[in-house]
Amino acid sequence: MSARMTNKTDKIPFYVMTPIYYVNARPHLGHTYTTVAADTLARYKRMRGFDVRFLTGTDEHGQKIERSANKAGKTAQAFADEISAEFRFLWARMGLTNDDYIRTTEPRHKRGVQRLFTELQQRGYIYKGTYTGQYCVSDELYVDAPEGAPCPDCGRPTERVSEENYYFKLSEFGDKLLAYYEAHPDFIRPESRRNEVMAFVRGGLKDLSISRTSFNWGIPVPGDEKHVIYVWMDALANYITALGYGSDAPEDQARFQKYWPADVQLLGKEISRFHCVYWPAFLMAAGLPLPKSFVVHGWLLFEQSKMSKSRGNIVRAETILDVLGADALRYFLLREIVFGQDGSFSFDALVQRYNADLANGYGNLVSRTLTMIGKYFDGVVPESTGEVETVTPEARTAIVKVGGLFDSLDFSRALETIWVFIAAVDIYITASAPWKQGAGVPDKVQQQHRGQVLYTAAESIRIITALVYPVIPDAAAKVWAQLGLGDITQADLKDLEWGGLKPGTKLGTLGPIFPRAEKEAITRMQEKEEAGLAESTAAATQVPSAPVAAAPVVAAAPAVAETKTITIDDFAKVELRVAQIKVAERVAGADRLLRLEVDLGYEQRQIVAGIAEAYAPESLIGRKVVIVANLAPRKLRGLESNGMVVAASLGEKGKPVLAGFLEDIEIGARLK
Ligand code: ME8
């Protein structure tokens, strides 16, 4: 048993997950939306003392992925490896706190899916038959429609298939499902989705084909390997295989027992039928408990329609991370869109919210309060002479209300409530004008007044910061440290109460939290997005573009001898890291340049390096090199280069020789 499990035995388990995303294309904001919501809930539950397990991952089998891989000229596995890594890198870059990341091509998953299939077979829920009808490859869905008809779900053309298949007796579960929905009104939320699902089931359920024979990119049916298991059965099982279902190892069984049934399964509305009908039916048939709830959210719209790769109207999280940071994106997604309903994304709205709520709202409250404590109290939290009736009750209300709203995943109202409190504190500070010296008021009385105002403001900030921590964790961590409270990840935020901030606390180092965004931020994001889109349209499987490393760093000895010395702090500014070359190719029209894609472990990036005359591109694949990772991006021959490869420079011509290590070294390692 792991240390984590031993330490947490007294805590209540809480299991939350996102859908696992298809690897037919790189992640976009729609995927980020669900994953950020799950991360926020996971953080909130951890803060409340739960033993949280948060799962996400990628759905890698099926005809759709096989075709995308063929189109890209890659094997399905290589293709899935690349795109899955993109999702994983993005979540790591955003600091998401998933405890596990499942890929359906992993052996642990295959084992579990085959166990589930066998279980259903042994229990008499599977039989062999022939399916002749239409199939929608895009939705991986058997469609009840005449030949030539489009898919009733997505409108794309369907294909005629006639195959010997294994069938699951879904028709036996209609009444059982309806009885279950009736008895558990919170099983599917919101109610509108519950009603849709119930109407679908009332319309009658037909047996479901659960294997395919016309291609083989999938998990074979145990004992009949020419069949692969239907991709949705394969994918849905991830929620249990990730816990260890199908394994006989005691630690896997213990994990499964501990976290299953899941507490919250998050998903977008287009896949509610698979999750709320097929998945519970499979579980019922296998004799397993059903998840406690499905929370179905709406769509993120961009330019009036659902953001999706096939429509080509996507925005990438990376664009926003580069310009405004992860917290701005998280805040926007959860504040602007009522969870459950559709909502629109636009760069204008993003920047407007950022400036109004984060820069001018929360950020400004923190900076004005802490600056005044610096000025009037030498950076030490003052004593208060008592509670303030326009602020303290507001704080207590916010603590109670916000908790309930997070629990019901009503993120937008939770944030709205916190911002009402921020506004009340702002009004209080302005009305109390601690910066004014009242005529004839003795200094001591004046200081007492200031003390009360600034204590009240600082304590409010402490509470606000603890409340917003699940949504904007990076900013909250900074503010917590500025308040002199240390590392927020170590703080106990379970029972917030007014008065927790101790007078006499020395503030930490102050600094900006959310600098105001200029209008130009919008153009920058739009330009980045256009550049990114052009690239991904050309090759959906390319890793994200990153800057280029320019010509190699020259380590010529005489030059070093003549250089003035630098301090260790100067050197520390240079972020040297080990990276592995994944892609290397010549740059058309530039004899010296190679375009590289390198893996840093936590991200992939593009570097343009002047080493083409010394190294054949194919000789570099897999090689570990040292790069300057924090060099400002620059363009070389129209390609963005994000970093620089370090090399010695030999002879008059400066022939580059790449720096490397004799030992095998982990990628991402920093040189210092
Ligand atoms: O359906 N708005 O994968 P997928 C909101 N592999 N959410 C969005 C969105 C948008 N515009 N676009 C995507 C699959 N999402 C299957 C799931 S689970 C066993 C298998 C989010 O890559 C949302 O959560 O098409 C949606 O349900 C999911 O991504 C679909 O991702």
Side-chain angles (χ1 to χ4, degrees):
M1 184 175 278
S2 70
R4 182 175 177 274
M5 288 169 83
T6 324
N7 291 340
K8 288 189 169 183
T9 43
D10 53 334
K11 296 184 173 182
I12 302 171
F14 184 86
Y15 184 29
V16 53
M17 66 280 273
T18 69
I20 48 170
Y21 305 114
Y22 284 130
V23 290
N24 64 322
R26 296 166 50 203
H28 60 70
L29 265 195
H31 306 113
T32 307
Y33 179 53
T34 319
T35 320
V36 158
D39 183 67
T40 300
L41 185 64
R43 285 174 184 270
Y44 169 71
K45 286 292 186 182
R46 280 190 205 108
M47 170 176 155
R48 303 292 309 162
F50 286 77
D51 173 358
V52 171
R53 195 159 182 93
F54 162 23
L55 173 72
T56 189
T58 40
D59 185 356
E60 308 187 2
H61 288 134
Q63 210 164 0
K64 166 156 140 167
I65 310 298
E66 188 176 64
R67 286 188 185 171
S68 301
N70 284 342
K71 229 166 129 183
K74 308 205 168 162
T75 65
Q77 186 64 60
F79 185 76
D81 287 348
E82 263 178 41
I83 307 274
S84 182
E86 296 243 7
F87 277 92
R88 197 172 194 156
F89 286 140
L90 176 60
W91 306 149
R93 178 171 176 203
M94 291 185 69
L96 303 192
T97 58
N98 51 298
D99 299 281
D100 195 0
Y101 183 91
I102 181 120
R103 300 183 55 192
T104 55
T105 48
E106 286 177 74
R108 61 171 172 160
H109 178 72
K110 177 177 171 193
R111 175 186 65 197
V113 171
Q114 290 186 327
R115 176 73 68 92
L116 180 65
F117 193 97
T118 308
E119 186 73 39
L120 301 186
Q121 217 167 17
Q122 285 170 353
R123 288 168 173 255
Y125 291 109
I126 291 180
Y127 64 91
K128 237 180 190 179
T130 303
Y131 176 82
T132 302
Q134 301 306 111
Y135 191 79
C136 171
V137 175
S138 178
D139 289 349
E140 297 281 15
L141 178 68
Y142 296 93
V143 170
D144 195 6
E147 194 165 356
C151 171
D153 268 27
C154 69
R156 293 191 192 89
T158 55
E159 295 179 16
R160 189 81 179 160
V161 293
S162 183
E163 283 177 319
E164 185 199 56
N165 285 160
Y166 284 93
Y167 276 85
F168 171 69
K169 293 183 183 168
L170 183 64
S171 58
E172 287 192 12
F173 288 88
D175 291 344
K176 287 181 204 152
L177 286 168
L178 285 170
Y180 195 89
Y181 302 144
E182 292 290 356
H184 300 86
D186 284 338
F187 184 53
I188 304 166
R189 290 181 284 166
E191 205 180 336
S192 52
R193 299 291 157 219
R194 175 173 184 259
N195 294 340
E196 273 173 21
V197 167
M198 288 178 74
F200 174 77
V201 176
R202 278 200 200 99
L205 295 179
K206 287 190 180 163
D207 289 351
L208 181 69
S209 168
I210 49 161
S211 75
R212 305 286 312 270
T213 49
S214 55
F215 65 95
N216 56 16
W217 181 235
I219 298 177
V221 166
D224 193 356
E225 311 245 318
K226 73 173 191 298
H227 289 259
V228 294
I229 296 173
Y230 175 40
V231 63
W232 268 102
M233 178 180 238
D234 168 343
L236 287 161
N238 91 86
Y239 303 127
I240 54 176
T241 62
L243 292 178
Y245 173 84
S247 159
D248 296 322
E251 64 272 21
D252 289 331
Q253 295 191 346
R255 196 182 312 102
F256 181 65
Q257 288 304 328
K258 181 173 184 184
Y259 292 104
W260 193 258
D263 291 86
V264 175
Q265 290 212 218
L266 289 173
L267 55 133
K269 64 183 178 183
E270 78 290 353
I271 52 177
S272 55
R273 185 193 314 172
F274 301 97
H275 281 81
C276 308
V277 180
Y278 299 172
W279 178 224
F282 294 153
L283 289 167
M284 281 176 172
L288 293 170
L290 307 194
K292 290 178 204 151
S293 70
F294 293 102
V295 179
V296 185
H297 64 69
W299 284 340
L300 195 61
L301 312 175
F302 187 54
E303 292 160 351
Q304 265 80 57
S305 56
K306 181 190 176 207
M307 189 181 289
S308 82
K309 165 78 190 167
S310 53
R311 285 187 180 84
N313 62 339
I314 50 175
V315 175
R316 307 216 181 268
E318 291 87 336
T319 301
I320 298 157
L321 302 184
D322 287 349
V323 177
L324 294 177
D327 280 357
L329 174 57
R330 294 172 69 102
Y331 179 80
F332 177 83
L333 291 174
L334 298 180
R335 174 66 185 86
E336 186 81 4
I337 302 155
V338 176
F339 205 67
Q341 296 178 12
D342 292 351
S344 291
F345 175 85
S346 80
F347 289 111
D348 281 8
L350 169 69
V351 169
Q352 206 181 334
R353 272 256 172 241
Y354 173 88
N355 278 335
D357 295 5
L358 297 177
N360 299 345
Y362 178 54
N364 183 49
L365 173 66
V366 172
S367 111
R368 75 199 288 218
T369 303
L370 302 191
T371 308
M372 281 192 281
I373 295 180
K375 181 165 170 194
Y376 297 117
F377 294 95
D378 235 356
V380 174
V381 175
E383 295 277 349
S384 161
T385 46
E387 295 188 0
V388 173
E389 66 184 28
T390 53
V391 176
T392 318
E394 288 272 1
R396 295 202 169 105
T397 311
I399 291 169
V400 174
K401 229 174 123 184
V402 169
L405 291 167
F406 274 133
D407 271 321
S408 52
L409 284 85
D410 198 343
F411 302 110
S412 55
R413 274 177 59 217
L415 291 170
E416 198 180 303
T417 307
I418 300 171
W419 259 257
V420 166
F421 179 35
I422 291 178
V425 182
D426 256 333
I427 289 170
Y428 164 69
I429 298 176
T430 306
S432 322
W435 50 87
K436 268 199 200 146
Q437 179 76 40
V441 178
D443 279 355
K444 189 160 168 242
V445 175
Q446 183 69 41
Q447 266 306 82
Q448 264 180 1
H449 170 67
R450 280 190 185 130
Q452 186 186 36
V453 178
L454 294 177
Y455 178 84
T456 304
E459 171 59 352
S460 301
I461 290 171
R462 186 187 70 90
I463 289 173
I464 290 160
T465 302
L467 293 175
V468 292
Y469 174 54
V471 179
I472 47 172
D474 294 346
K478 280 192 206 160
V479 174
W480 203 254
Q482 293 190 15
L483 276 171
L485 299 173
D487 179 358
I488 197 167
T489 62
Q490 302 303 313
D492 181 0
L493 306 176
K494 202 159 55 239
D495 302 305
L496 286 174
E497 269 182 54
W498 183 265
L501 182 63
K502 298 283 163 271
T505 305
K506 176 95 187 93
L507 298 186
T509 312
L510 306 190
I513 307 292
F514 289 114
R516 236 193 109 72
E518 301 307 326
K519 259 216 129 56
E520 167 263 349
I522 300 175
T523 335
R524 268 172 65 208
M525 287 189 281
Q526 282 164 337
E527 282 172 2
K528 268 178 185 284
E529 200 49 51
E530 273 156 29
L533 274 183
E535 176 201 329
S536 64
T537 318
T541 61
Q542 292 281 307
V543 289
S545 83
V548 188
V553 173
V554 175
V560 172
E562 284 161 24
T563 315
K564 278 205 309 202
T565 57
I566 58 167
T567 67
I568 189 75
D569 289 343
D570 291 330
F571 176 68
K573 287 183 196 154
V574 184
E575 198 190 327
L576 293 169
R577 287 195 187 270
V578 177
Q580 186 170 37
I581 298 177
K582 296 287 187 189
V583 175
E585 54 192 29
R586 296 190 182 280
V587 174
D591 294 345
R592 289 183 54 241
L593 296 183
L594 289 185
R595 187 186 80 83
L596 308 176
E597 285 173 17
V598 302
D599 185 355
L600 277 159
Y602 54 91
E603 70 174 31
Q604 297 214 5
R605 52 167 74 186
Q606 172 174 286
I607 293 183
V608 178
I611 55 174
E613 288 170 329
Y615 292 93
E618 54 284 3
S619 71
L620 291 170
I621 310 294
R623 179 158 176 169
K624 289 179 180 170
V625 291
V626 175
I627 68 159
V628 182
N630 61 342
L631 201 66
R634 50 178 293 201
K635 280 218 164 168
L636 290 173
R637 298 275 171 162
L639 292 169
E640 209 187 356
S641 182
N642 212 4
M644 177 187 262
V645 178
V646 177
S649 178
L650 299 187
E652 266 180 32
K653 288 192 172 162
K655 179 182 174 230
V657 177
L658 291 169
F661 296 90
L662 294 175
E663 288 85 354
D664 189 24
I665 185 151
E666 205 180 303
I667 55 174
R670 181 151 186 196
L671 282 77
K672 47 189 177 179

